[in-house]
Amino acid sequence: MAIQQNELHLLDENNPLSQLFLSVINTQKDLIVLMHNHVPVLFNKAFLDFANVDSAKGFLREFGSLLNRFVPHDSYFHAGKVDNADAWTESLLELPENDKVVSMLSHRIEPHAFSVNVQNPVENYTILTFCDISQDLIKRIMIENDATIDKESGAYDKEYFTHTMKSLNDAALFNKKLLATTLVELVSNDADVYDFVRDIKSNIRQSDMLVRWGKKSFLLAYLIDSPENTLPLTQKIRQKSHFSIRLATEVQENSESIQHIIHRAEKSLRDASNT
């Protein structure tokens, strides 16, 4: 649909009416977008900062459709769930409130999840408000994970990990990082595994996954920028551990699956045990 002459004035970011609208939405911490016929025409400051652009024109020039910014993951609304990409806000509007959730990467390549409020106050215009719910999702995941812990050790349960490790593959692709695994084997027979897990956890990041892999072995799965990044972590575990341990670390090669990386780590640990 063609934009009428009076609409051109409204869509000009230097127009007084646009400035009034912007002065209101710029006070909001949520990301707010004014859409005209499914095309963004005004962004509030929070959104411009999030995307690191200076205007709607700059956004369109760099990214094209706003729909392109939505991460294509089954848990969220994205382009793959839209029948008509030219009228995608209609598809979003038709969803139940709980399903109006998208994920976008900030300009720092940090993933965020947003609930989306959709309003159509005037014909052909839509106001989208993106409320960051990333921390709420993290809290919910942490609560759910309480039922996925190996009770004896306090590490993640192996069965839970094997059912969810695809998400770790997705996270690596999502963040453009490499997957790495370190198998840590407890050599001492009489050591308390709960104390052992606490010892390891004190030397790793909160985002790293520590999994009970065997009776005396634990799998550490994590994301890194380069293979060299495994060295500080494994050295810290080895040097600060209060237990006698063996380590085997493998890093993702050529986008291989985490299953294959773990298989190589298991082989490395067996080889080290036999020497």
Side-chain angles (χ1 to χ4, degrees):
M1 183 181 295
I3 298 176
Q4 301 299 317
Q5 186 63 39
N6 61 334
E7 291 176 329
L8 284 172
H9 292 301
L10 176 60
L11 304 185
D12 181 357
E13 294 179 356
N14 295 317
N15 180 271
L17 290 177
S18 296
Q19 290 297 322
L20 285 172
F21 178 72
L22 284 170
S23 69
V24 174
I25 64 174
N26 280 342
T27 63
Q28 306 300 308
K29 65 177 182 179
D30 294 334
L31 313 188
I32 302 176
V33 187
L34 174 64
M35 310 282 292
H36 178 267
N37 290 332
H38 315 286
V39 177
V41 291
L42 289 175
F43 292 93
N44 74 334
K45 185 178 185 302
F47 202 114
L48 294 177
D49 291 343
F50 180 82
N52 195 31
V53 294
D54 58 4
S55 65
K57 291 179 181 177
F59 180 92
L60 292 170
R61 184 169 55 249
E62 184 165 351
F63 302 112
S65 172
L66 178 58
L67 186 62
N68 295 339
R69 294 285 291 173
F70 300 158
V71 174
H73 191 283
D74 288 343
S75 298
Y76 308 106
F77 172 83
H78 59 84
K81 298 183 178 182
V82 174
D83 292 329
N84 181 3
D86 293 331
W88 65 267
T89 56
E90 292 178 3
S91 299
L92 181 61
L93 181 61
E94 292 170 358
L95 291 175
E97 288 302 315
N98 289 342
D99 293 334
K100 290 187 175 78
V101 179
V102 303
S103 179
M104 291 189 289
L105 294 176
S106 72
H107 69 92
R108 296 187 180 91
I109 321 299
E110 299 166 340
H112 291 256
F114 299 91
S115 64
V116 189
N117 178 267
V118 186
Q119 300 179 51
N120 295 115
V122 180
E123 185 179 2
N124 300 327
Y125 288 91
T126 305
I127 298 175
L128 300 179
T129 303
F130 297 85
C131 178
D132 195 326
I133 58 172
S134 304
Q135 292 301 313
D136 292 336
L137 287 181
I138 290 171
K139 290 177 183 177
R140 190 181 75 187
I141 290 169
M142 289 176 67
I143 292 171
E144 291 173 351
N145 283 348
D146 284 343
T148 64
I149 300 297
D150 174 67
K151 299 301 185 291
E152 183 184 12
S153 67
Y156 283 111
D157 180 79
K158 183 177 181 179
E159 184 177 358
Y160 166 75
F161 179 76
T162 55
H163 279 89
T164 59
M165 59 186 176
K166 183 181 181 298
S167 298
L168 204 54
N169 275 320
D170 292 341
L173 290 171
F174 190 59
N175 292 285
K176 297 182 180 179
K177 294 183 182 292
L178 297 173
L179 283 166
T181 63
T182 296
L183 273 171
V184 187
E185 185 178 57
L186 179 60
V187 176
S188 175
N189 289 322
D190 58 354
D192 184 273
V193 293
Y194 187 81
D195 289 339
F196 180 57
V197 165
R198 286 202 305 171
D199 190 63
I200 296 176
K201 284 184 175 180
S202 68
N203 294 307
I204 63 176
R205 300 169 301 185
Q206 190 173 7
S207 59
D208 300 334
M209 289 194 72
L210 183 64
V211 184
R212 179 79 180 270
W213 205 245
K215 185 176 180 179
K216 296 192 300 177
S217 63
F218 294 83
L219 175 74
L220 184 61
Y222 48 105
L223 304 183
I224 55 173
D225 293 316
S226 66
E228 294 77 18
N229 293 149
T230 62
L231 294 176
L233 178 62
T234 55
Q235 287 175 352
K236 184 178 182 182
I237 293 173
R238 189 184 297 277
Q239 293 170 1
K240 295 195 174 185
S241 177
H242 296 90
F243 300 85
S244 178
I245 60 174
R246 278 192 287 262
L247 299 177
T249 297
E250 296 292 339
V251 178
Q252 187 175 38
E253 297 177 354
N254 301 319
S255 301
E256 68 181 322
S257 70
I258 190 169
Q259 295 97 319
H260 196 266
I261 305 169
I262 294 170
H263 177 73
R264 290 197 289 111
E266 289 174 324
K267 183 178 184 303
S268 296
L269 191 61
R270 285 195 302 270
D271 292 345
S273 300
N274 294 330
T275 56

